[in-house]
């Protein structure tokens, strides 16, 4: 058997059920792994050892009394540090929340706990989830477990790297423009962005509310579905959470992918992607065809506008959402002679460069005289994109593309070039703009670094996306590779 910290959730749940090991042993194995490798990876901002060990013991006691809860009972998971968890420090990777302690649980975190999961710690991220490399964290970058000189992707780089390095069996991330799928691709794990509204955002520190969505990282699509089932569903505390959000079995034959129509949007295979990425994704498409699916070339012309739309709408919402950090209510408060000065000093010192850049862009785009030219215009294009996407998805069941145009790049390589960084989000942002579900699964290596395959579904077809990914993984072994660390 693999070491405990390398098991899938399914394997661990079976082992716990059969009494092969306890949740306490599983949790200790992950904590031990964290102690031995996180000095190199820096995936974890706060380890919650004491509460994790307590939760593990409680799970073992429940099981011994015949009251085990389900597949997640006793399973050690990590949570991205932009989600509230009572008693933990929630920093969102920002200095402005230094010292802030959560007074309540995010709904997704509360639901994990209610399912018996053991929360091991809070994972590093780009500041307020703004970035694609985890380098904008005020607490220092996370490193890619496959190659410590490379970025782990972002913004949920801590969650992805912790899982890839064996510090947990699964994790929560948030995805506003790719922040679950892209780091999953870079770190060689599975990452799933649910349909907008499927998972409650209550207690997620908002970045761009119309795009943000919480979702799972796991070693397999099957495990990701187990986490999704625990956290999804309507929540009276989030008015955008959807009522039709229960996990249902997808319409597929008992085996293979016969009857499935998979579209390859030609805009996603244009110039600008690395040769190695293209080769791996084309091989993955062939594998999906071999399993019985029909591949068709399709076109989504508005995808070419996606980055422009995203990088207008997102900063507008960022500038509104982050206005709450004023030095009066939470976290950092810099002493200054007057109220205005306190705002300026606190926000100037508390926010990093990338966050300030986006607040300024958003405030400008929303200001009188520019609102119509930027924000309103972007909303109109968004509506067109959604209509075009919905029409296309009446013809096919899924879309297939790379997750990212390249594998992980060197730490520092794009840090001072925001446009180059934004361009790497080219294949992921469309999904958020239209509110669809999408998964990234490992599909091989280029230059010894993991490549991610993206599968996109129609809204609320999350189960079909994950089940297709599961069957792909049933026929391939890329998701079983672990970094030598
Ligand atoms: N990389 C994108 C950005 O910088 C996406 C971030 C995210 O999904 N949170 O905005």
């Amino acid at each position: 058997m693999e070491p405990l910290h390398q098991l899938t959730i399914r394997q661990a749940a079976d082992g716990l059920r059969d009494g092969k090991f306890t949740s306490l042993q599983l949790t200790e194995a992950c904590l031990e792994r964290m102690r031995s490798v996180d000095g190199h990876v820096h995936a974890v901002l706060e380890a919650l050892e004491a509460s994790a060990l307590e939760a593990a013991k409680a799970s073992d006691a429940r099981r011994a009394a015949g009251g085990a809860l389900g597949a997640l009972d006793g399973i050690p998971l990590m949570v991205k540090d932009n989600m509230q968890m009572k008693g933990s420090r929630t920093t969102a990777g920002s200095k402005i929340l230094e010292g802030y302690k959560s007074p309540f649980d995010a709904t997704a975190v509360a639901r994990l706990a209610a399912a018996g999961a053991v929360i091991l710690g809070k994972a590093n991220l780009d500041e307020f989830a703004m970035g694609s490399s985890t380098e904008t964290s005020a607490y220092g970058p996370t490193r890619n477990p496959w190659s410590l000189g490379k970025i782990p992707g972002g913004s949920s780089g801590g969650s992805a790297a912790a899982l890839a390095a064996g510090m947990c069996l699964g994790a929560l991330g948030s995805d506003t423009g790719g922040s679950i799928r892209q780091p999953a691709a870079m770190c060689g794990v599975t990452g799933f962005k649910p349909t907008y509204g499927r998972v409650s955002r209550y207690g997620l520190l908002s970045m761009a509310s119309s795009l943000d969505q919480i979702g799972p990282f796991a070693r397999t699509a099957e495990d990701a579905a187990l986490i999704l089932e625990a956290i999804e569903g309507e929540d009276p505390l989030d008015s955008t959470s959807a009522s039709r959000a229960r996990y249902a079995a997808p319409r597929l034959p008992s085996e293979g992918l016969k009857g499935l129509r998979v579209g390859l949007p030609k805009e996603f295979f244009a110039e600008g992607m690395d040769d190695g990425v293209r080769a791996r994704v084309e091989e993955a498409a062939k594998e999906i065809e071999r399993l019985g699916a029909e591949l068709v070339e399709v076109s989504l012309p508005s995808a070419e506008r996606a980055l422009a739309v995203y990088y207008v709408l997102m900063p507008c919402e960022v500038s509104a959402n982050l206005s709450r950090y004023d030095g009066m209510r939470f976290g950092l408060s810099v002493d200054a002679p007057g109220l205005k000065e306190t705002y300026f000093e606190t926000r100037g010192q508390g926010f990093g460069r990338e966050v300030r850049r986006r607040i300024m862009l958003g405030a400008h785009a929303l200001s009188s005289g520019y609102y119509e030219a930027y924000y309103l215009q972007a909303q109109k294009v968004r509506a067109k994109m959604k209509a075009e996407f919905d029409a296309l998805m009446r013809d096919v069941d899924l879309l297939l593309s790379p997750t990212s145009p390249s594998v992980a790049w060197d730490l520092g390589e794009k840090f001072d070039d925001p446009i180059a960084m934004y361009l790497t989000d080219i294949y992921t942002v469309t999904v958020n703009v239209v509110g669809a579900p999408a998964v990234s699964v490992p599909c091989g290596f280029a230059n010894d670094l993991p490549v991610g395959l993206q599968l996109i579904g129609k809204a609320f077809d999350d189960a079909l996306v994950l089940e297709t990914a599961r069957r792909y993984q049933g026929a391939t072994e890329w998701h079983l590779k672990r970094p030598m660390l």
Side-chain angles (χ1 to χ4, degrees), residues 129-132 154-155 174-179 207 310-311 314 358 425:
M130 297 179 207
S132 309
S155 66
S174 67
D175 192 312
T176 303
S179 281
M207 176 181 162
Y310 174 80
Y311 276 97
M314 175 274 296
R358 295 191 192 198
D425 300 332

Side-chain angles (χ1 to χ4, degrees), residues 133 135 149-151 274 406-418 420-421 424 449:
S133 64
E135 292 168 298
K150 307 277 181 187
I151 57 106
D274 288 2
S406 75
V407 293
W409 55 87
D410 289 340
L411 278 162
E413 190 180 324
K414 299 187 203 288
F415 188 64
D416 295 319
D417 187 349
M421 191 79 88
T424 66
L449 291 165

Side-chain angles (χ1 to χ4, degrees), residues 185 265 268-269 273 277-278 281 400-406 426-428 440 443 451-456:
F268 286 63
F269 287 88
M273 100 176 71
V277 171
R278 183 184 296 276
V281 172
L400 180 155
S401 80
T403 305
S404 172
S406 75
I426 181 120
Y427 303 134
T428 48
S440 178
C443 68
V451 177
L453 166 75
Q454 178 173 237
L455 296 170
I456 305 170

Side-chain angles (χ1 to χ4, degrees), residues 460-479:
F460 295 103
D461 229 359
D462 305 49
L464 182 72
V465 174
L466 284 171
E467 183 58 21
T468 304
R470 191 181 76 84
R471 292 183 187 198
Y472 170 76
Q473 291 180 331
T476 55
E477 300 204 324
W478 302 118
H479 61 291

Side-chain angles (χ1 to χ4, degrees), residues 300-312:
L300 193 61
S302 66
E304 286 171 356
R305 308 268 177 273
L307 272 180
V309 167
Y310 174 80
Y311 276 97
V312 172

